[in-house]
């Protein structure tokens, strides 16, 4: 039987209250994409390059999007469809939202996903998840343009330095996340094998693409193939 | 070259900043939609419970408000930063897709042209994830729960492979930098596991190691580039 608070959580009103913000996210993406599409050719980016970019992103988005949806299951059962949909579409991630909702319910003396959840505890979860996500949106809204100025100052407009700054951010940022998946060292770790195989396959793709710069399929599907190879090898080490 | 820079800085960026700031600030209001709806129905959280939960949750999120935008900015650029921090799923979708889009177009990341392709990549990934989430939420928990546990567990393994393949891309473009930075990241995370950073106040203890990795690598990258390496 559906829990009492989930009836309200899945009501039409809740859906209607969530739709505007999700539409805003899509509107912004459409607006920026359209502008990039118009300006691109004026600064030397061809329509072919932009189409290539869109196609590659489309392919690469599918795998991680399925992961996000599979993580949504636990949220759906705890806070209902509309709020789960909103929270994962607007500055959310499952790793952050579920513990936040759980803490909010606990602070209200209830347990998420059980029949002792009151409407007030559900409202608390909604308010906490919303309030705590504001920081990200506000910082980006107010400071994104300043970061560009800061970057120009650091690199002094030297193009090699700009490229190195981005590559450095990538190696350092993702290097730390890979270390998180690989340590403490354990030869039976599924995460570690997935990371190792993903790295090796992508490295091989890079060698191949350097030799054959026209290999469009490798540019488009390389990372998706590397991701799935990592997943398949890692799955052999899963304990079920 | 000069002309293209003028178009990018004089035309594209001001438009993005104007609309990016406006839409994100509007997002701050609209995200309260469900809270307001519940309030209109007379359902409000207990103030004590709200403050108690906020005290627990806010310190956990607060350091990420600063750390994440500055860590990912170099990869996302101005438009990507507005989009990523409104739509979320930053490290697992927005940054990878901006990066892949630019690379597949044969353009260097961080350049003005790379910002254009990164914007397209980031926007496309926003559409794709929104479609998946909408289908997922309509299909409902029953369909999703029917997936065997091994499938869900295996799907989660896509992420470590995604992170490491992105790392491989950046490392391939700057191998000398990567040869120093990747081992350093492992050492820093190992030190974190050993509790070395616990001497710091708890609110920043977990934020400092990833910041050292990202900023240290950016600084080193710029220094090496300026020396022509």
């Amino acid at each position: 039987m559906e829990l009492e608070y989930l009836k309200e959580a899945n009501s039409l009103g809740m859906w209607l209250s969530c739709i505007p913000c999700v539409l805003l996210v899509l509107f912004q993406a459409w607006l920026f994409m359209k502008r990039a599409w118009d300006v691109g050719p004026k600064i030397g980016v061809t329509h072919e390059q932009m189409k290539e970019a869109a196609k590659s992103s489309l392919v690469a988005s599918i795998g991680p999007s399925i992961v996000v949806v599979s993580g949504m299951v636990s949220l759906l059962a705890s806070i209902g469809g509309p709020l789960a949909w909103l929270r994962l579409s607007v500055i959310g991630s499952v790793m952050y939202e579920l513990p936040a909702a759980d803490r909010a319910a606990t602070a209200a003396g209830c347990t998420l996903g059980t029949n002792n959840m009151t409407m007030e505890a559900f409202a608390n979860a909604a308010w906490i998840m919303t309030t705590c996500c504001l920081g990200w949106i506000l910082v980006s809204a107010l400071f994104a343009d300043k970061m560009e100025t800061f970057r120009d100052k650091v690199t002094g407009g030297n193009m090699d330095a700009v490229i190195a700054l981005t590559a450095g951010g990538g190696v350092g940022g993702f290097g730390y996340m890979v270390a998180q998946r690989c340590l403490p060292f354990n030869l039976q770790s599924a995460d570690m094998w997935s990371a190792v195989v993903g790295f090796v396959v992508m490295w091989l793709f890079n060698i191949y693409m350097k030799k054959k710069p026209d290999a469009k399929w490798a540019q488009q599907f390389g990372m998706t193939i590397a991701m799935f190879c990592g997943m398949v090898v890692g799955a052999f080490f899963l304990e079920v | 070259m000069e002309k293209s820079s003028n178009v990018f800085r004089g035309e594209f960026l001001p438009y993005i900043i104007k609309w990016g700031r406006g839409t994100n600030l509007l997002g701050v209001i609209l995200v309260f939609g469900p809270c307001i709806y519940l309030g209109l129905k007379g359902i409000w959280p207990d103030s004590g419970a709200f403050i108690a939960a906020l005290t627990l949750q806010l310190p956990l999120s607060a350091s990420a408000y600063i750390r994440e935008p500055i860590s990912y900015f170099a990869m996302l650029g101005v438009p990507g930063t507005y989009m990523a921090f409104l739509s979320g799923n930053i490290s697992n979708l927005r940054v990878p897709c901006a990066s892949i889009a630019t690379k597949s177009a044969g353009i260097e990341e961080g350049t003005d042209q790379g910002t254009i392709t990164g914007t397209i990549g980031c926007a496309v990934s926003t559409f794709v994830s929104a479609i998946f989430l909408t289908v997922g939420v309509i299909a409902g928990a029953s369909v999703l729960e029917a997936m065997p546990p091994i499938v869900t567990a295996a799907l989660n393994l896509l992420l470590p492979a995604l992170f490491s393949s992105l790392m491989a891309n950046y490392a391939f473009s700057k191998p000398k930098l990567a040869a120093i930075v990747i081992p350093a990241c492992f050492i820093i995370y190992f030190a974190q596991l050993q509790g070395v950073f616990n001497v710091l106040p708890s609110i920043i203890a977990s934020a400092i190691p990833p910041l050292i990795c990202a900023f240290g690598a950016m600084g080193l990258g710029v220094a090496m580039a300026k020396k022509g390496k």
Side-chain angles (χ1 to χ4, degrees):
Chain A
M1 202 190 86
E2 194 179 22
L3 300 171
E4 202 54 37
Y5 81 96
L6 283 181
K7 281 186 190 157
E8 186 59 59
N10 286 314
S11 66
L12 180 66
M14 276 299 279
W15 278 111
L16 293 177
S17 68
C18 291
I19 288 172
C21 201
V22 178
L23 287 182
L24 178 77
V25 171
L26 296 175
F27 169 72
Q28 186 193 54
W30 173 80
L31 198 69
F32 283 15
M33 187 161 119
K34 192 170 168 294
R35 195 66 175 186
W37 203 270
D38 293 341
V39 169
K42 293 184 193 168
I43 65 165
V45 187
T46 65
H47 278 116
E48 274 61 43
Q49 283 175 310
M50 293 193 285
K51 277 183 198 160
E52 200 63 46
K55 268 195 250 170
S56 309
S57 174
L58 178 82
V59 174
S61 304
I62 294 171
S65 292
I66 296 174
V67 179
V68 172
V69 173
S70 73
M72 191 170 65
V73 176
S74 50
L75 262 185
L76 275 177
S78 324
I79 58 169
L83 199 53
W85 180 64
L86 173 73
R87 295 303 326 128
L88 294 184
S89 304
V90 180
I91 188 71
S93 76
V94 176
M95 291 165 290
Y96 160 77
E97 301 300 340
L98 199 56
D102 194 49
R103 282 187 194 99
T106 310
C110 299
T111 312
L112 213 54
T114 67
N115 57 11
N116 86 352
M117 268 294 278
T118 60
M119 280 314 300
E120 287 70 26
F122 172 67
N124 203 29
W127 275 91
I128 288 296
M129 286 190 288
T130 306
T131 311
C132 290
C133 81
L134 293 182
W136 281 287
I137 316 181
L138 278 173
V139 169
S140 65
L142 301 175
F143 300 110
D145 54 329
K146 273 98 186 160
M147 290 180 206
E148 178 81 3
T149 315
F150 178 71
R151 180 172 71 172
D152 289 347
K153 274 195 182 146
V154 170
T155 57
N158 175 337
M159 220 7 101
D160 287 340
V162 172
I163 293 166
L165 182 87
T166 308
V171 176
F174 287 105
Y176 179 80
M177 286 192 232
V178 172
Q180 279 182 312
R181 305 287 177 148
C182 295
L183 297 176
F185 182 69
N186 170 12
L187 261 181
Q188 297 299 314
S189 158
D191 273 14
M192 184 198 75
W193 282 110
S194 166
V196 169
V197 172
F199 183 88
V200 172
V201 173
M202 198 62 228
W203 192 271
L204 294 175
F205 262 113
N206 271 296
I207 294 174
Y208 178 77
M209 288 187 284
K210 200 172 181 185
K211 282 187 184 157
K212 299 202 170 186
D214 295 330
K216 290 256 184 282
W217 71 271
Q219 289 170 350
Q220 228 170 65
F221 297 105
M223 187 157 297
T224 308
I225 294 171
M227 250 193 292
F228 277 89
C229 288
M231 179 186 78
V232 170
V233 173
F236 284 107
F237 293 88
L238 281 176
E239 290 169 23
V240 180
Chain B
M1 198 66 195
E2 190 61 31
K3 184 176 169 270
S4 77
S5 179
N6 286 344
V7 172
F8 184 80
R9 286 175 196 277
E11 193 181 311
F12 182 68
L13 275 186
Y15 177 89
I16 295 292
I17 291 166
K18 185 179 102 183
W19 281 95
R21 184 174 289 161
T23 42
N24 280 25
L25 289 176
L26 182 60
V28 168
I29 299 165
L30 292 184
V31 79
F32 278 99
C35 299
I36 294 165
Y37 167 74
L38 289 171
L40 289 175
K41 295 201 82 179
I43 307 163
W44 295 95
D46 173 69
S47 58
F50 177 74
I51 291 166
L54 196 65
T55 322
L56 283 172
Q57 186 61 36
L58 203 56
L60 297 174
S61 318
S63 65
Y65 299 156
I66 312 293
R67 170 172 58 82
E68 292 192 348
I70 48 182
S71 303
Y72 294 127
F73 177 78
M75 290 169 271
L76 287 167
V78 177
T81 299
Y82 286 122
M83 278 192 273
F85 288 91
L86 183 64
S87 63
N89 288 303
I90 302 153
S91 64
N92 55 338
L93 271 163
R94 309 298 164 234
V95 175
C97 289
S99 168
I100 292 163
T102 304
K103 193 173 162 61
S104 72
I107 295 173
E108 289 278 7
E109 278 183 68
T111 58
D112 294 352
Q113 289 76 7
T115 303
I116 294 289
T117 44
T119 304
I120 292 169
C122 209
V124 168
S125 85
T126 305
F127 299 135
V128 174
S129 62
I131 291 169
F132 270 85
L133 278 168
T134 308
V135 170
V137 81
I138 292 170
S142 53
V143 176
L144 296 166
E145 277 169 352
M147 286 198 295
I150 179 88
V151 175
T152 320
L155 280 173
N156 281 322
L157 292 175
L158 280 174
L159 290 186
L162 170 66
F163 296 152
S164 68
S165 50
L166 271 170
M167 184 178 81
N169 269 348
Y170 289 114
F172 196 85
S173 71
K174 296 278 171 203
K176 280 183 193 164
L177 176 67
I180 302 167
V181 170
I182 295 174
C185 289
F186 274 72
I187 293 167
I188 289 166
Y189 184 63
F190 181 75
Q192 187 182 2
L193 287 179
Q194 300 306 309
V196 171
F197 296 96
N198 291 351
V199 291
L200 299 165
S202 61
I203 191 167
I204 57 165
S206 64
I208 292 295
L211 269 183
I212 297 175
C213 293
F215 268 94
M218 286 192 231
L220 189 61
V222 171
M224 285 169 82
K226 283 186 175 170
K227 282 188 180 172
K229 287 184 185 171

